[in-house]
């Protein structure tokens, strides 16, 4: 009895632990989803705000907004491209590590540009704009270089795979159309055809030489046809149709009526009266 109670208690503890673990994981996943949604919404709002400032505010404030928008757009596009490509190509992990180091410089520059948006001294801000513009160009150029290199690598792999596939398809198509391939001519038949051509070519000059000298040796004339005999010349074959008609006797056009047989039960015909 005590063993059964211990087993049920152990099962209850295991089920309770599994339920608590599943609850914690579900809550954590929901929290991460909410945080991801909040971060995405905040990023979208900041991008629209920066785009509005770049068009609405002239001078240094508008240029700072343009630099921030350009930096954030380039870094985000490169991050998405590398994370999507590293799942298929493991050799891009080093590129991802380099981008993470570049992202640290990008976040630092973005924070500095954000702080300078509320700078009241516009003259000092104008003096620092060339250096900020140069740093932004260097970071975005590096990010764009990584992004396009990853895309070119993926496209090159796709082109190589397509070339190999096309070669295999051409080979398979040729194997399927085996009846269209020219049959190789055996060596014995080729030699026999060449030997037949040589006597023919040697015979042509000989015949030409014979034609060139007709006066020297003329061939004898052909004998005339024998005269036909008189009996044979005058003989004519009779017409088969007429001969067969003459041999058969002539038949009357109408067959005469034959006498009908009489039976004892039939009545005798009455004579016709003359009165």
């Amino acid at each position: 009895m005590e063993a059964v109670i211990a087993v049920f208690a152990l099962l209850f503890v295991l089920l309770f632990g599994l339920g608590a673990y599943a609850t914690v994981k579900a809550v954590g996943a929901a929290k991460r989803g909410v945080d991801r949604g909040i971060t995405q919404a905040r990023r979208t709002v900041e991008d629209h705000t920066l785009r509005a400032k770049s068009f609405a505010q002239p001078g240094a404030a508008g240029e700072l907004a343009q630099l921030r928008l350009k930096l954030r757009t380039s870094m985000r596009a490169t991050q998405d491209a590398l994370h999507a490509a590293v799942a298929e190509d493991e050799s891009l992990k080093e590129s991802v590590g380099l981008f993470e180091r570049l992202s640290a410089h990008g976040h630092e520059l973005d924070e500095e540009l954000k702080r300078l948006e509320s700078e009241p001294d516009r003259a000092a801000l104008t003096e620092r704009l060339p250096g900020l513009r140069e740093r932004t160009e260097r970071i975005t150029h590096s990010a764009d270089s990584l992004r396009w290199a990853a895309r070119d690598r993926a496209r090159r792999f796709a082109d190589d795979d397509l070339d190999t596939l096309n070669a295999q398809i051409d080979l398979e198509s040729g194997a399927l159309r085996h009846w269209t391939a020219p049959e190789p001519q055996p060596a014995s038949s080729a030699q026999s055809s060449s030997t037949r051509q040589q006597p023919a070519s040697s015979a042509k000059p000989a015949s030409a030489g014979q034609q060139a000298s007709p006066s020297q040796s003329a061939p004898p004339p052909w004998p005339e046809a024998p005269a036909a005999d008189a009996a044979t010349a005058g003989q004519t074959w009779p017409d088969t149709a007429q001969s067969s008609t003459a041999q058969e006797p002539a038949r009357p056009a109408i067959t005469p009526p034959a006498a009908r047989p009489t039976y004892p039960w039939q009545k005798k015909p009455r004579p016709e009266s003359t009165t």
Side-chain angles (χ1 to χ4, degrees), residues 83-257:
H83 287 172
V86 75
E88 300 177 357
D89 190 1
E90 296 292 335
S91 60
L92 292 176
K93 289 183 177 180
E94 186 176 356
S95 301
V96 173
L98 293 175
F99 176 73
E100 290 177 356
R101 294 172 56 186
L102 183 65
S103 297
H105 293 278
H107 285 297
E108 182 181 355
L109 178 59
D110 185 64
E111 293 295 334
E112 185 176 356
L113 292 174
K114 187 176 181 180
R115 287 194 304 266
L116 291 175
E117 286 180 356
S118 58
E119 178 64 35
D121 191 357
R122 298 301 177 182
L125 181 59
T126 304
E127 292 178 359
R128 297 188 60 180
L129 274 178
L132 297 172
R133 191 182 302 112
E134 182 181 358
R135 288 177 61 189
T136 305
E137 289 293 337
R138 291 174 61 184
I139 293 175
T140 55
H141 176 73
S142 298
D144 295 342
S145 179
L146 276 176
R147 182 174 69 254
W148 285 110
R151 290 177 178 175
D152 293 342
R153 181 182 178 85
R155 187 176 67 252
R156 180 59 182 272
F157 284 164
D159 293 341
D160 293 343
D161 189 15
L162 182 60
D163 294 339
T164 305
L165 182 60
N166 288 335
Q168 293 177 357
I169 289 176
D170 293 340
L171 183 62
E172 183 66 20
S173 300
L176 292 176
R177 298 191 186 97
H178 59 86
W179 62 87
T180 60
E183 297 182 357
Q185 186 177 7
S188 58
S189 61
Q191 292 178 359
S192 61
S193 62
S194 62
T195 54
R196 285 196 298 270
Q197 290 177 359
Q198 288 179 358
S201 61
S202 61
K204 288 182 180 178
S207 61
Q210 292 177 2
Q211 292 178 2
S213 58
S215 60
Q216 295 179 1
S217 60
W222 292 97
E224 297 180 358
D229 298 338
T232 308
Q235 184 180 2
T236 56
W237 295 98
D239 192 3
T240 58
Q242 294 179 1
S243 61
S244 62
T245 305
Q247 294 176 5
E248 293 180 358
R251 295 180 179 179
I254 301 176
T255 304

